[in-house]
Amino acid sequence: VKLVESGGDSVQPGGSLKLSCEYSGFTFSSNYIGWVRREPGKGLEWLATFYTRDSSTYYAESVKDRFTISKDSAKRTVYLQMTSLKYEDTALYYCASFLRARPPAGAVGGQILAQGRGTQVTVSS
């Protein structure tokens, strides 16, 4: 299983950014693929999940009105469209497969089956 993120960049507050995650070697045994992030000095925060069986999507409260997860099976890519970015969105963003749709806060790492190396998003003026 291989997950490769891209699309991270520096952006001003209020701006938008679209992250991509190319996956390979997947059998989707977990059926849940999505995004997490790690802010400097903090633990992993779950952001969004795409359920491959029925295309359901799940979001953390902190991003549900601003971020959108999608998947292009032909391109073997999962996306995270981020809008209205805030300073506190600055973090290293990882693509990951999970054991469940909503990994519980404080235990996100234990719910990850596979994870990429991450892509940096910096929100600054």
Side-chain angles (χ1 to χ4, degrees):
V1 174
K2 187 175 182 181
L3 301 164
V4 181
E5 305 92 338
S6 63
D9 204 346
S10 293
V11 62
Q12 292 186 340
S16 299
L17 208 56
K18 188 172 186 177
L19 306 183
S20 301
C21 170
E22 294 185 47
Y23 57 86
S24 60
F26 249 99
T27 59
F28 279 116
S29 59
S30 79
N31 297 309
Y32 302 108
I33 186 168
W35 295 87
V36 297
R37 69 185 179 189
R38 188 188 300 275
E39 297 174 51
K42 296 186 178 180
L44 283 174
E45 177 188 10
W46 168 72
L47 299 175
T49 299
F50 189 100
Y51 183 44
T52 60
R53 288 195 173 185
D54 64 7
S55 299
S56 295
T57 56
Y58 305 83
Y59 296 95
E61 283 295 317
S62 60
V63 302
K64 69 183 180 85
D65 296 325
R66 301 185 296 123
F67 292 7
T68 303
I69 189 170
S70 61
K71 178 175 169 288
D72 186 330
S73 297
K75 295 183 178 180
R76 303 185 68 80
T77 300
V78 175
Y79 303 98
L80 186 68
Q81 176 69 55
M82 306 185 294
T83 63
S84 301
L85 284 164
K86 306 175 182 179
Y87 291 113
E88 52 264 41
D89 292 318
T90 295
L92 189 58
Y93 285 69
Y94 300 94
C95 180
S97 65
F98 309 118
L99 287 169
R100 63 183 65 181
R102 297 178 182 273
V108 174
Q111 298 294 314
I112 291 176
L113 295 171
Q115 181 179 324
R117 292 191 172 187
T119 186
Q120 178 68 37
V121 173
T122 301
V123 183
S124 71
S125 54

